[in-house]
Amino acid sequence: MLPVVVVHGGAGQIPKERSEMSTAGVCRAARAAYSILQGGGSSMDAVVEAVSLLENDPSFNAGCGSVLNVKGEVEMDAIVMDGKMLRSGAVSAVRNIANPVQLARLVMDKTSHACLTAEGANQFASAMGVPSVPQESLITEYSQMRWKKNLTPDADPVECQMGKMGTVGAVAVDGEGNISCATSTGGMLNKMEGRVGDTPCIGSGGYADNNIGAVSTTGHGEAIMKVTLARLILFHMEQGQSVEAASDLGLAYMRSRVHGLGGVVTVDPRGHWAVRFSSRQMSWAAAQKDTLHYGLYTGEHYTQSINAH
Amino acid sequence: MLPVVVVHGGAGQIPKERSEMSTAGVCRAARAAYSILQGGGSSMDAVVEAVSLLENDPSFNAGCGSVLNVKGEVEMDAIVMDGKMLRSGAVSAVRNIANPVQLARLVMDKTSHACLTAEGANQFASAMGVPSVPQESLITEYSQMRWKKNLTPDADPVECQMGKMGTVGAVAVDGEGNISCATSTGGMLNKMEGRVGDTPCIGSGGYADNNIGAVSTTGHGEAIMKVTLARLILFHMEQGQSVEAASDLGLAYMRSRVHGLGGVVTVDPRGHWAVRFSSRQMSWAAAQKDTLHYGLYTGEHYTQSINAH
């Protein structure tokens, strides 16, 4: 059953003309991460690679393609977590960085801290030799169009958010049984400057524990935080629930208690995996035993050989 | 059993000459919060009042008296959470604010977000009419002395942190059964600029749910985050553990799994409360049924009539 990697490209309602691009993007990310795992790479290497590819893909709300804040600027959040020692690293409200997930990993590996924010995160990036990229390189025409649309007085950014891909993320278990997660986002459409959502918040945007499993979340960030969704699902797994049942229990509770929609990818130490969402769609892909699995709508589950292209 | 409020002034090893001041401070905060509850005020009003008083007291590492970051500057984190609707508000790495806990409450009450960071948090403060205070007004001679001491190459800020009061916080249940928590901190001694610890991270620095109870945490922030300590303790309570047993289970797990020390104040919906810590000391005070309870060392528990001064 090992190794395995599961990738998501965000929960929401994806316009038809963008759905092929997002499916192609998550499949590419899952293949690349699986190839790392097959080569003996760690689950951390695999999830960071998968999320970096999604950050580089303008179809997703992370890195290039991030939604814009109310001022029309890009501020990004990301987290990684290593299930062996429960080490984690995160950045919040960081600017001018092509791959926030890689910076989050540097926070984990090179500092005694778990999260750096805003200007402090950028100073750290600079000290680590991570290049500063022009903001324009992260902004797409599509994100600018949506930003302008949501500046009108009757706009509903939360509703509109569901019209595009959300946060991206990945979970993986490597051949040694080490479990990792990574999540990255441009956040919420037309958010206030300095808004930090669920993504960099440990237990909300993601959590990994070699003894239990790992979860990466996407959806309405403030609702995810209210129920600490990733940790909640893992608590259900600690109580003996399967990856599917635990994920469904967590999402159902979020819906009933705080009226929030979202999606998750979940793995356990034996390599069982689940993709569950309460939103209309979530682009996802998984790779295990030389098979690529992927889908977009509820119940959709395609497979193909990992070597077919 | 209701109302009840429990306050902490941080886990650590408190120098003898500072222990009286810290005990006096938490007792004052508990009395003030209890008076609000007796007057029919909400648990949210009570915890914000208690934490504001501790922020204003230079004996504690929050607001005035905050530890300094590596540049000798003050960057503060705070959170509040309302257990009825699971609403929360937080600020991270905010500067020039006398009472970050009040700003966190404004984030909860006046925005659709759950956390604002750094410059964005300060812009929001300004928009809300919250005055900007000079940084010098938040810096004490003691915090400057400790900052300089920890700039030497052989310094160990984590170890030294335990030589001073940590984070402050409070939990309360009001007469209507509504449960709230609040936590505020200057963070970790000589931290990197932009470092965000456990305090503003929901489920780590605090959590409140009317159906379960509330926890406010203090101690080594990065360790608290690794185990999402507040939410972990509440999961144990959901499984039927008492406030004491759940708190002890959470702290023991943090110690064994990630070698972290800390302390918590915990309440349940019926007004049972617990004060537990794995550090050498934690200043704390609780008020219930017209009695003030307080202590500093493990096992210490003094009581007096709430009306005696």
Side-chain angles (χ1 to χ4, degrees), chain A residues 43-106:
Chain A
S43 57
M44 180 56 67
D45 287 342
V47 295
V48 169
E49 174 67 12
V51 171
S52 297
L53 288 172
L54 296 171
E55 287 174 337
N56 296 342
D57 186 331
S59 311
F60 299 97
N61 174 19
C64 174
S66 286
V67 300
L68 309 187
N69 71 14
V70 70
K71 289 189 178 167
E73 300 163 339
V74 173
E75 293 182 293
M76 300 165 290
D77 302 336
I79 193 169
V80 297
M81 187 165 182
D82 164 356
K84 187 173 187 183
M85 300 298 288
L86 306 183
R87 294 185 316 135
S88 69
V91 290
S92 62
V94 71
R95 295 164 183 256
N96 303 102
I97 297 290
N99 292 111
V101 73
Q102 295 174 17
L103 188 58
R105 186 178 185 174
L106 286 172

Short mmCIF file of all heavy atoms in Angstrom, two decimals, chain A residues 43-106:
data_model
loop_
_atom_site.label_atom_id
_atom_site.label_comp_id
_atom_site.label_asym_id
_atom_site.label_seq_id
_atom_site.Cartn_x
_atom_site.Cartn_y
_atom_site.Cartn_z
N SER A 43 8.38 11.50 2.26
CA SER A 43 7.03 12.06 2.07
C SER A 43 7.08 13.59 2.09
O SER A 43 6.31 14.24 1.38
CB SER A 43 6.08 11.52 3.14
OG SER A 43 6.55 11.80 4.44
N MET A 44 8.00 14.17 2.87
CA MET A 44 8.10 15.63 2.90
C MET A 44 8.55 16.16 1.53
O MET A 44 7.99 17.12 1.01
CB MET A 44 9.07 16.07 4.00
CG MET A 44 9.28 17.56 4.14
SD MET A 44 7.75 18.53 4.41
CE MET A 44 7.28 17.99 6.04
N ASP A 45 9.58 15.51 0.95
CA ASP A 45 10.01 15.91 -0.40
C ASP A 45 8.85 15.82 -1.39
O ASP A 45 8.66 16.67 -2.26
CB ASP A 45 11.14 15.01 -0.90
CG ASP A 45 12.46 15.31 -0.20
OD1 ASP A 45 12.59 16.39 0.39
OD2 ASP A 45 13.35 14.43 -0.23
N ALA A 46 8.05 14.76 -1.25
CA ALA A 46 6.96 14.52 -2.20
C ALA A 46 5.87 15.59 -2.09
O ALA A 46 5.41 16.12 -3.11
CB ALA A 46 6.37 13.13 -1.97
N VAL A 47 5.43 15.90 -0.87
CA VAL A 47 4.33 16.87 -0.75
C VAL A 47 4.79 18.28 -1.12
O VAL A 47 4.02 19.06 -1.70
CB VAL A 47 3.67 16.86 0.66
CG1 VAL A 47 2.98 15.53 0.91
CG2 VAL A 47 4.64 17.21 1.78
N VAL A 48 6.05 18.60 -0.81
CA VAL A 48 6.54 19.94 -1.18
C VAL A 48 6.64 20.05 -2.71
O VAL A 48 6.30 21.09 -3.29
CB VAL A 48 7.89 20.24 -0.48
CG1 VAL A 48 8.54 21.50 -1.05
CG2 VAL A 48 7.67 20.40 1.02
N GLU A 49 7.06 18.97 -3.37
CA GLU A 49 7.13 18.99 -4.83
C GLU A 49 5.74 19.14 -5.44
O GLU A 49 5.52 19.96 -6.35
CB GLU A 49 7.80 17.70 -5.35
CG GLU A 49 7.81 17.55 -6.87
CD GLU A 49 8.69 18.56 -7.57
OE1 GLU A 49 9.48 19.25 -6.90
OE2 GLU A 49 8.59 18.67 -8.81
N ALA A 50 4.79 18.36 -4.94
CA ALA A 50 3.43 18.44 -5.47
C ALA A 50 2.86 19.85 -5.31
O ALA A 50 2.31 20.42 -6.26
CB ALA A 50 2.52 17.43 -4.75
N VAL A 51 3.00 20.40 -4.13
CA VAL A 51 2.42 21.72 -3.88
C VAL A 51 3.17 22.81 -4.65
O VAL A 51 2.57 23.76 -5.15
CB VAL A 51 2.36 22.01 -2.36
CG1 VAL A 51 1.98 23.45 -2.08
CG2 VAL A 51 1.34 21.06 -1.70
N SER A 52 4.49 22.66 -4.80
CA SER A 52 5.25 23.64 -5.60
C SER A 52 4.74 23.67 -7.03
O SER A 52 4.60 24.75 -7.63
CB SER A 52 6.74 23.29 -5.60
OG SER A 52 7.28 23.37 -4.30
N LEU A 53 4.48 22.50 -7.61
CA LEU A 53 3.97 22.45 -8.99
C LEU A 53 2.60 23.14 -9.09
O LEU A 53 2.33 23.84 -10.07
CB LEU A 53 3.87 21.01 -9.47
CG LEU A 53 5.21 20.32 -9.76
CD1 LEU A 53 5.00 18.84 -10.05
CD2 LEU A 53 5.91 21.00 -10.94
N LEU A 54 1.77 22.96 -8.08
CA LEU A 54 0.45 23.60 -8.10
C LEU A 54 0.58 25.11 -7.89
O LEU A 54 -0.19 25.90 -8.46
CB LEU A 54 -0.46 22.98 -7.04
CG LEU A 54 -0.78 21.49 -7.27
CD1 LEU A 54 -1.49 20.90 -6.06
CD2 LEU A 54 -1.62 21.29 -8.53
N GLU A 55 1.56 25.53 -7.08
CA GLU A 55 1.82 26.97 -6.92
C GLU A 55 2.29 27.58 -8.24
O GLU A 55 1.94 28.74 -8.55
CB GLU A 55 2.91 27.19 -5.86
CG GLU A 55 2.45 26.95 -4.42
CD GLU A 55 3.57 27.04 -3.39
OE1 GLU A 55 4.76 26.87 -3.76
OE2 GLU A 55 3.28 27.26 -2.21
N ASN A 56 3.06 26.83 -9.00
CA ASN A 56 3.58 27.34 -10.27
C ASN A 56 2.53 27.35 -11.38
O ASN A 56 2.73 27.99 -12.42
CB ASN A 56 4.77 26.50 -10.74
CG ASN A 56 5.95 26.59 -9.79
OD1 ASN A 56 6.02 27.52 -8.98
ND2 ASN A 56 6.87 25.64 -9.88
N ASP A 57 1.44 26.62 -11.17
CA ASP A 57 0.39 26.49 -12.18
C ASP A 57 -0.65 27.60 -11.97
O ASP A 57 -1.29 27.67 -10.92
CB ASP A 57 -0.26 25.10 -11.99
CG ASP A 57 -1.27 24.77 -13.07
OD1 ASP A 57 -1.89 25.71 -13.60
OD2 ASP A 57 -1.47 23.57 -13.34
N PRO A 58 -0.83 28.49 -12.95
CA PRO A 58 -1.74 29.63 -12.75
C PRO A 58 -3.21 29.24 -12.60
O PRO A 58 -4.03 30.10 -12.29
CB PRO A 58 -1.51 30.49 -13.99
CG PRO A 58 -0.88 29.61 -15.00
CD PRO A 58 -0.14 28.54 -14.24
N SER A 59 -3.54 27.96 -12.78
CA SER A 59 -4.93 27.54 -12.63
C SER A 59 -5.36 27.46 -11.17
O SER A 59 -6.56 27.31 -10.89
CB SER A 59 -5.14 26.15 -13.23
OG SER A 59 -4.61 26.08 -14.52
N PHE A 60 -4.42 27.53 -10.24
CA PHE A 60 -4.76 27.31 -8.83
C PHE A 60 -4.53 28.57 -7.98
O PHE A 60 -3.66 29.38 -8.28
CB PHE A 60 -3.94 26.15 -8.27
CG PHE A 60 -4.20 24.85 -8.98
CD1 PHE A 60 -3.34 24.43 -10.00
CD2 PHE A 60 -5.30 24.09 -8.68
CE1 PHE A 60 -3.58 23.25 -10.68
CE2 PHE A 60 -5.55 22.91 -9.36
CZ PHE A 60 -4.70 22.48 -10.36
N ASN A 61 -5.30 28.64 -6.88
CA ASN A 61 -5.20 29.78 -5.97
C ASN A 61 -4.07 29.55 -4.96
O ASN A 61 -4.30 29.29 -3.77
CB ASN A 61 -6.55 29.96 -5.26
CG ASN A 61 -6.51 31.02 -4.18
OD1 ASN A 61 -5.61 31.86 -4.16
ND2 ASN A 61 -7.46 30.97 -3.27
N ALA A 62 -2.84 29.65 -5.44
CA ALA A 62 -1.64 29.49 -4.61
C ALA A 62 -0.47 29.90 -5.48
O ALA A 62 -0.46 29.62 -6.68
CB ALA A 62 -1.47 28.05 -4.14
N GLY A 63 0.51 30.56 -4.90
CA GLY A 63 1.64 31.04 -5.69
C GLY A 63 1.11 31.87 -6.85
O GLY A 63 0.26 32.75 -6.66
N CYS A 64 1.61 31.59 -8.08
CA CYS A 64 1.10 32.28 -9.27
C CYS A 64 -0.36 31.86 -9.49
O CYS A 64 -0.65 30.67 -9.60
CB CYS A 64 1.95 31.90 -10.47
SG CYS A 64 1.28 32.55 -12.00
N GLY A 65 -1.27 32.83 -9.55
CA GLY A 65 -2.69 32.52 -9.67
C GLY A 65 -3.46 32.78 -8.39
O GLY A 65 -4.68 32.60 -8.34
N SER A 66 -2.74 33.20 -7.35
CA SER A 66 -3.38 33.52 -6.07
C SER A 66 -4.47 34.58 -6.26
O SER A 66 -4.32 35.49 -7.09
CB SER A 66 -2.35 34.10 -5.09
OG SER A 66 -1.50 33.09 -4.59
N VAL A 67 -5.53 34.48 -5.48
CA VAL A 67 -6.54 35.54 -5.47
C VAL A 67 -5.89 36.79 -4.86
O VAL A 67 -4.86 36.72 -4.19
CB VAL A 67 -7.79 35.13 -4.65
CG1 VAL A 67 -8.43 33.90 -5.26
CG2 VAL A 67 -7.47 34.92 -3.19
N LEU A 68 -6.51 37.94 -5.08
CA LEU A 68 -5.94 39.21 -4.61
C LEU A 68 -6.69 39.70 -3.37
O LEU A 68 -7.88 39.44 -3.21
CB LEU A 68 -6.03 40.24 -5.73
CG LEU A 68 -5.48 39.80 -7.10
CD1 LEU A 68 -5.49 40.98 -8.08
CD2 LEU A 68 -4.09 39.22 -6.98
N ASN A 69 -5.96 40.41 -2.51
CA ASN A 69 -6.62 41.01 -1.35
C ASN A 69 -7.36 42.27 -1.79
O ASN A 69 -7.37 42.63 -2.97
CB ASN A 69 -5.62 41.26 -0.20
CG ASN A 69 -4.66 42.41 -0.49
OD1 ASN A 69 -4.85 43.20 -1.40
ND2 ASN A 69 -3.60 42.48 0.31
N VAL A 70 -8.01 42.93 -0.85
CA VAL A 70 -8.89 44.05 -1.20
C VAL A 70 -8.14 45.17 -1.92
O VAL A 70 -8.72 45.94 -2.68
CB VAL A 70 -9.63 44.54 0.08
CG1 VAL A 70 -8.66 45.23 1.02
CG2 VAL A 70 -10.81 45.43 -0.28
N LYS A 71 -6.82 45.23 -1.69
CA LYS A 71 -6.01 46.26 -2.34
C LYS A 71 -5.47 45.80 -3.70
O LYS A 71 -4.69 46.50 -4.33
CB LYS A 71 -4.82 46.63 -1.46
CG LYS A 71 -5.21 47.44 -0.22
CD LYS A 71 -3.96 47.94 0.47
CE LYS A 71 -4.32 48.79 1.68
NZ LYS A 71 -3.15 49.04 2.54
N GLY A 72 -5.82 44.57 -4.10
CA GLY A 72 -5.33 44.06 -5.37
C GLY A 72 -3.94 43.45 -5.28
O GLY A 72 -3.25 43.30 -6.29
N GLU A 73 -3.53 43.11 -4.07
CA GLU A 73 -2.19 42.56 -3.85
C GLU A 73 -2.25 41.07 -3.50
O GLU A 73 -3.30 40.56 -3.11
CB GLU A 73 -1.51 43.31 -2.70
CG GLU A 73 -1.38 44.80 -2.96
CD GLU A 73 -1.11 45.60 -1.70
OE1 GLU A 73 -1.40 45.10 -0.59
OE2 GLU A 73 -0.63 46.73 -1.83
N VAL A 74 -1.10 40.42 -3.64
CA VAL A 74 -1.00 38.98 -3.33
C VAL A 74 -0.32 38.80 -1.97
O VAL A 74 0.82 39.24 -1.77
CB VAL A 74 -0.18 38.24 -4.41
CG1 VAL A 74 0.06 36.79 -4.00
CG2 VAL A 74 -0.90 38.31 -5.75
N GLU A 75 -1.03 38.17 -1.04
CA GLU A 75 -0.46 37.77 0.25
C GLU A 75 -0.78 36.29 0.43
O GLU A 75 -1.95 35.90 0.36
CB GLU A 75 -1.09 38.55 1.39
CG GLU A 75 -0.77 40.02 1.39
CD GLU A 75 -1.40 40.72 2.59
OE1 GLU A 75 -2.64 40.80 2.65
OE2 GLU A 75 -0.65 41.16 3.48
N MET A 76 0.24 35.49 0.67
CA MET A 76 0.07 34.03 0.64
C MET A 76 0.39 33.37 1.98
O MET A 76 1.21 33.87 2.75
CB MET A 76 0.97 33.46 -0.46
CG MET A 76 0.64 34.01 -1.85
SD MET A 76 1.96 33.70 -3.08
CE MET A 76 3.25 34.80 -2.50
N ASP A 77 -0.26 32.24 2.23
CA ASP A 77 -0.05 31.43 3.43
C ASP A 77 0.33 30.01 3.02
O ASP A 77 -0.20 29.50 2.02
CB ASP A 77 -1.35 31.32 4.25
CG ASP A 77 -1.95 32.66 4.68
OD1 ASP A 77 -1.20 33.64 4.77
OD2 ASP A 77 -3.17 32.70 4.93
N ALA A 78 1.18 29.36 3.80
CA ALA A 78 1.51 27.95 3.52
C ALA A 78 1.99 27.26 4.79
O ALA A 78 2.45 27.91 5.74
CB ALA A 78 2.61 27.86 2.45
N ILE A 79 1.85 25.95 4.80
CA ILE A 79 2.32 25.15 5.94
C ILE A 79 2.84 23.80 5.46
O ILE A 79 2.38 23.28 4.43
CB ILE A 79 1.16 24.92 6.96
CG1 ILE A 79 1.69 24.39 8.30
CG2 ILE A 79 0.10 23.97 6.40
CD1 ILE A 79 0.65 24.39 9.42
N VAL A 80 3.82 23.26 6.18
CA VAL A 80 4.22 21.86 6.01
C VAL A 80 4.28 21.25 7.41
O VAL A 80 4.53 21.94 8.39
CB VAL A 80 5.62 21.70 5.35
CG1 VAL A 80 5.62 22.26 3.94
CG2 VAL A 80 6.72 22.33 6.19
N MET A 81 4.03 19.93 7.48
CA MET A 81 4.18 19.24 8.78
C MET A 81 4.74 17.84 8.55
O MET A 81 4.34 17.14 7.62
CB MET A 81 2.86 19.18 9.53
CG MET A 81 3.02 18.62 10.95
SD MET A 81 1.58 18.94 12.00
CE MET A 81 2.17 18.22 13.55
N ASP A 82 5.65 17.47 9.42
CA ASP A 82 6.38 16.21 9.39
C ASP A 82 5.85 15.35 10.54
O ASP A 82 6.01 15.70 11.71
CB ASP A 82 7.86 16.57 9.58
CG ASP A 82 8.74 15.40 9.96
OD1 ASP A 82 8.22 14.30 10.17
OD2 ASP A 82 9.96 15.61 10.05
N GLY A 83 5.20 14.23 10.19
CA GLY A 83 4.51 13.45 11.20
C GLY A 83 5.39 12.66 12.13
O GLY A 83 4.90 12.09 13.11
N LYS A 84 6.68 12.58 11.85
CA LYS A 84 7.55 11.79 12.72
C LYS A 84 7.75 12.48 14.07
O LYS A 84 7.48 11.91 15.12
CB LYS A 84 8.91 11.58 12.04
CG LYS A 84 9.83 10.63 12.79
CD LYS A 84 11.09 10.33 11.98
CE LYS A 84 11.92 9.26 12.68
NZ LYS A 84 13.17 9.01 11.94
N MET A 85 8.22 13.72 14.02
CA MET A 85 8.50 14.47 15.25
C MET A 85 7.47 15.57 15.49
O MET A 85 7.63 16.38 16.39
CB MET A 85 9.89 15.11 15.14
CG MET A 85 11.02 14.12 14.94
SD MET A 85 11.16 13.00 16.33
CE MET A 85 11.83 14.14 17.57
N LEU A 86 6.44 15.62 14.67
CA LEU A 86 5.41 16.68 14.73
C LEU A 86 6.02 18.06 14.48
O LEU A 86 5.49 19.08 14.95
CB LEU A 86 4.67 16.66 16.08
CG LEU A 86 4.04 15.34 16.50
CD1 LEU A 86 3.29 15.51 17.82
CD2 LEU A 86 3.10 14.82 15.43
N ARG A 87 7.12 18.10 13.75
CA ARG A 87 7.71 19.40 13.41
C ARG A 87 6.85 20.04 12.31
O ARG A 87 6.31 19.34 11.45
CB ARG A 87 9.13 19.24 12.88
CG ARG A 87 10.11 18.73 13.93
CD ARG A 87 11.52 18.72 13.38
NE ARG A 87 11.57 18.17 12.03
CZ ARG A 87 12.26 18.71 11.03
NH1 ARG A 87 12.96 19.82 11.22
NH2 ARG A 87 12.26 18.14 9.84
N SER A 88 6.78 21.37 12.34
CA SER A 88 6.04 22.05 11.27
C SER A 88 6.68 23.38 10.98
O SER A 88 7.46 23.91 11.77
CB SER A 88 4.57 22.24 11.66
OG SER A 88 4.46 23.18 12.70
N GLY A 89 6.34 23.92 9.82
CA GLY A 89 6.80 25.25 9.45
C GLY A 89 5.70 25.92 8.64
O GLY A 89 4.99 25.25 7.88
N ALA A 90 5.54 27.21 8.85
CA ALA A 90 4.49 27.93 8.13
C ALA A 90 4.93 29.36 7.85
O ALA A 90 5.81 29.90 8.52
CB ALA A 90 3.20 27.92 8.94
N VAL A 91 4.31 29.94 6.83
CA VAL A 91 4.44 31.37 6.59
C VAL A 91 3.03 31.93 6.40
O VAL A 91 2.15 31.23 5.90
CB VAL A 91 5.29 31.69 5.34
CG1 VAL A 91 6.76 31.37 5.60
CG2 VAL A 91 4.79 30.95 4.11
N SER A 92 2.83 33.16 6.85
CA SER A 92 1.52 33.79 6.63
C SER A 92 1.71 35.19 6.08
O SER A 92 2.68 35.87 6.39
CB SER A 92 0.69 33.82 7.92
OG SER A 92 1.30 34.56 8.94
N ALA A 93 0.78 35.60 5.21
CA ALA A 93 0.77 36.93 4.61
C ALA A 93 2.12 37.30 4.01
O ALA A 93 2.58 38.42 4.14
CB ALA A 93 0.33 37.98 5.65
N VAL A 94 2.74 36.32 3.35
CA VAL A 94 4.04 36.57 2.74
C VAL A 94 3.83 37.06 1.30
O VAL A 94 2.86 36.69 0.63
CB VAL A 94 4.93 35.30 2.80
CG1 VAL A 94 4.44 34.23 1.84
CG2 VAL A 94 6.38 35.64 2.53
N ARG A 95 4.72 37.93 0.83
CA ARG A 95 4.59 38.52 -0.51
C ARG A 95 5.82 38.19 -1.35
O ARG A 95 6.89 37.90 -0.83
CB ARG A 95 4.52 40.05 -0.39
CG ARG A 95 3.27 40.55 0.32
CD ARG A 95 3.47 42.01 0.75
NE ARG A 95 2.32 42.49 1.49
CZ ARG A 95 1.38 43.30 1.01
NH1 ARG A 95 1.47 43.75 -0.23
NH2 ARG A 95 0.37 43.68 1.75
N ASN A 96 5.65 38.30 -2.67
CA ASN A 96 6.80 38.26 -3.60
C ASN A 96 7.61 36.98 -3.51
O ASN A 96 8.82 36.99 -3.73
CB ASN A 96 7.74 39.46 -3.34
CG ASN A 96 7.02 40.79 -3.48
OD1 ASN A 96 6.67 41.41 -2.47
ND2 ASN A 96 6.74 41.19 -4.70
N ILE A 97 6.96 35.87 -3.18
CA ILE A 97 7.64 34.58 -3.10
C ILE A 97 6.94 33.64 -4.07
O ILE A 97 5.72 33.49 -4.03
CB ILE A 97 7.56 34.02 -1.66
CG1 ILE A 97 8.28 34.93 -0.67
CG2 ILE A 97 8.10 32.59 -1.60
CD1 ILE A 97 9.79 34.96 -0.81
N ALA A 98 7.71 32.99 -4.94
CA ALA A 98 7.10 32.10 -5.94
C ALA A 98 6.54 30.84 -5.30
O ALA A 98 5.49 30.35 -5.70
CB ALA A 98 8.13 31.74 -7.01
N ASN A 99 7.26 30.31 -4.31
CA ASN A 99 6.85 29.04 -3.70
C ASN A 99 6.81 29.13 -2.18
O ASN A 99 7.72 28.66 -1.49
CB ASN A 99 7.79 27.92 -4.15
CG ASN A 99 7.65 27.61 -5.63
OD1 ASN A 99 8.55 27.88 -6.43
ND2 ASN A 99 6.51 27.08 -6.03
N PRO A 100 5.72 29.66 -1.66
CA PRO A 100 5.58 29.78 -0.19
C PRO A 100 5.75 28.45 0.53
O PRO A 100 6.24 28.41 1.66
CB PRO A 100 4.17 30.33 -0.01
CG PRO A 100 3.90 31.09 -1.28
CD PRO A 100 4.60 30.30 -2.36
N VAL A 101 5.37 27.33 -0.09
CA VAL A 101 5.49 26.04 0.59
C VAL A 101 6.95 25.69 0.86
O VAL A 101 7.29 25.08 1.88
CB VAL A 101 4.78 24.92 -0.20
CG1 VAL A 101 5.56 24.53 -1.46
CG2 VAL A 101 4.56 23.69 0.68
N GLN A 102 7.82 26.11 -0.06
CA GLN A 102 9.26 25.86 0.15
C GLN A 102 9.81 26.74 1.26
O GLN A 102 10.70 26.34 2.02
CB GLN A 102 10.03 26.07 -1.14
CG GLN A 102 9.64 25.05 -2.22
CD GLN A 102 10.29 25.33 -3.57
OE1 GLN A 102 11.25 26.08 -3.67
NE2 GLN A 102 9.75 24.74 -4.62
N LEU A 103 9.28 27.96 1.37
CA LEU A 103 9.69 28.85 2.46
C LEU A 103 9.20 28.30 3.80
O LEU A 103 9.93 28.35 4.80
CB LEU A 103 9.15 30.26 2.20
CG LEU A 103 9.65 31.36 3.14
CD1 LEU A 103 11.17 31.48 3.10
CD2 LEU A 103 9.01 32.70 2.77
N ALA A 104 7.99 27.75 3.82
CA ALA A 104 7.46 27.13 5.04
C ALA A 104 8.38 25.98 5.48
O ALA A 104 8.68 25.81 6.67
CB ALA A 104 6.04 26.62 4.81
N ARG A 105 8.85 25.23 4.50
CA ARG A 105 9.76 24.13 4.85
C ARG A 105 11.07 24.65 5.43
O ARG A 105 11.63 24.06 6.36
CB ARG A 105 10.04 23.25 3.63
CG ARG A 105 10.86 22.05 4.04
CD ARG A 105 11.16 21.10 2.93
NE ARG A 105 11.85 19.94 3.49
CZ ARG A 105 12.16 18.87 2.80
NH1 ARG A 105 11.83 18.79 1.54
NH2 ARG A 105 12.79 17.87 3.38
N LEU A 106 11.56 25.76 4.90
CA LEU A 106 12.78 26.36 5.45
C LEU A 106 12.55 26.84 6.89
O LEU A 106 13.45 26.75 7.73
CB LEU A 106 13.26 27.52 4.56
CG LEU A 106 13.92 27.11 3.24
CD1 LEU A 106 14.16 28.35 2.37
CD2 LEU A 106 15.24 26.38 3.49
#
